[in-house]
C-alpha cells in the first residue's frame, strides 16, 4: 500500500541562506516517517515531527523561541483521521519531543478507563510535563530547559527582551519585531512545524 508524507518546517520568513538547512531537515523528517510506516500513518507523522523538533533550525522543540522567562515551552497535537482520536499538549516545559506525548494521548483515547472515567485529550503546563515524565521512554523524557535552549535562541531572546524593556510605544518605532504603529516586520516571524501521512487506496486517499 502506498503512502504520501507531507512535512513543513514552519511558516513565515526564512532567509534564503538557511534554505539548505530547512530542506535537509524536511528530508530527514520524510525518511523517519518512511521508516515508521509499518506502525501506521500516525506513527509516521509523529516520527517526522520529532525530527523537526530536534532540529534547532525549526521553531519547535530544541532551539525554538523562548518564553519571557527564557525557557522553552512547546505545544503539539496529533490526530488519527481513521478514528478521529486526537491528543495534545500545551505550554509543556522541558520536553524534547512533545509530539510523542500528543500522539500517545491520541492513541490512549481508544483505551477505556475504569468507573466511567474519561481520558484527557489535552494536557497543559506542569500536568503535561508530569505526564511526559511518567509515560515516555528514553529519547523523549524531560530534559530541563538547558537541554532545549540553544545559543542562537538565547541571542534572540536577549534581543527581544531588550526591545521590550526599552519600549517607548512611540508611533513608528520598531519594538520586538513589530512596529508601534501595528506594522509587522516579516523578518521576525516564524511558526511551528507539521506533518501529514495518508494511505493511498486504489480510488484515492483515505
Amino acid at each position: 500500500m502506498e503512502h504520501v508524507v507531507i512535512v513543513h518546517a514552519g511558516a513565515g520568513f526564512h532567509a534564503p541562506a538557511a534554505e539548505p538547512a530547512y530542506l535537509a531537515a524536511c528530508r530527514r523528517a520524510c525518511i523517519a516517517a518512511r521508516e515508521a510506516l509499518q506502525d501506521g500513518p500516525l506513527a509516521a507523522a509523529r516520527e517526522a515531527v520529532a525530527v523537526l523538533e530536534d532540529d534547532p533550525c525549526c521553531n519547535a522543540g530544541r532551539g525554538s523561541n523562548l518564553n519571557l522567562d527564557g525557557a522553552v515551552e512547546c505545544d503539539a497535537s496529533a490526530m488519527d483521521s481513521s478514528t478521529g482520536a486526537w491528543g495534545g499538549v500545551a505550554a509543556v516545559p522541558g520536553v524534547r519531543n512533545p509530539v510523542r506525548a500528543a500522539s500517545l494521548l491520541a492513541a490512549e483515547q481508544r483505551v477505556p478507563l475504569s468507573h466511567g472515567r474519561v481520558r484527557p485529550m489535552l494536557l497543559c503546563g506542569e500536568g503535561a510535563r508530569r505526564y511526559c515524565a511518567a509515560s515516555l521512554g528514553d529519547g523523549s523524557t524531560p530534559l530541563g530547559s538547558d537541554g532545549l535552549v540553544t545559543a542562537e535562541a538565547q541571542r534572540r531572546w536577549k534581543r527581544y527582551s531588550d526591545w521590550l524593556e526599552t519600549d517607548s510605544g512611540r508611533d513608528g518605532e520598531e519594538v520586538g519585531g513589530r512596529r508601534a504603529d501595528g506594522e509587522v516586520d516579516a523578518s521576525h516571524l516564524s511558526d511551528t512545524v507539521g506533518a501529514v501521512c495518508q494511505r493511498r487506496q486504489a480510488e484515492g486517499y483515505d
Side-chain angles (χ1 to χ4, degrees):
M1 181 179 294
E2 294 183 356
H3 291 76
V4 171
V5 176
I6 303 171
V7 304
H8 74 86
F13 175 84
H14 299 293
E19 182 175 341
Y22 287 110
L23 291 176
C26 288
R27 290 190 189 98
R28 290 194 300 273
C30 287
I31 291 171
R34 182 182 63 192
E35 293 175 348
L37 278 173
Q38 68 271 14
D39 296 323
L42 181 60
R46 178 195 67 217
E47 294 307 310
V49 171
V51 168
L52 300 176
E53 288 176 334
D54 285 342
D55 195 315
C57 80
C58 301
N59 185 24
R62 180 171 176 265
S64 58
N65 289 333
L66 308 181
N67 63 14
L68 287 176
D69 295 325
V72 170
E73 288 182 333
C74 293
D75 308 330
S77 64
M79 181 175 182
D80 184 344
S81 62
S82 66
T83 64
W86 181 90
V89 293
V92 57
V95 173
R96 175 180 173 182
N97 295 124
V99 70
R100 297 191 189 281
S103 179
L104 184 57
L105 282 168
E108 288 178 343
Q109 299 304 311
R110 301 191 295 271
V111 182
L113 289 173
S114 63
H115 305 294
R117 292 176 296 158
V118 178
R119 288 189 179 275
M121 298 176 68
L122 176 66
L123 294 174
C124 303
E126 177 61 17
R129 189 201 65 78
R130 290 167 58 188
Y131 173 82
C132 292
S135 303
L136 300 179
D138 291 343
S140 303
T141 52
L143 296 175
S145 294
D146 291 345
L148 297 174
V149 177
T150 63
E152 173 60 20
Q154 287 182 317
R155 185 191 65 79
R156 291 195 306 266
W157 178 82
K158 179 65 166 59
R159 181 177 62 182
Y160 298 150
S161 296
D162 289 346
W163 280 341
L164 290 174
E165 289 178 2
T166 59
D167 181 5
S168 66
R170 290 177 295 186
D171 288 345
E173 182 176 346
E174 185 180 288
V175 178
R178 182 182 296 270
R179 297 176 63 86
D181 58 12
E183 180 183 350
V184 175
D185 179 357
S187 67
H188 294 289
L189 297 179
S190 60
D191 203 353
T192 189
V193 301
V196 174
C197 180
Q198 289 184 302
R199 286 187 294 260
R200 183 177 181 180
Q201 306 287 11
E203 67 278 7
Y205 296 94
D206 66 357

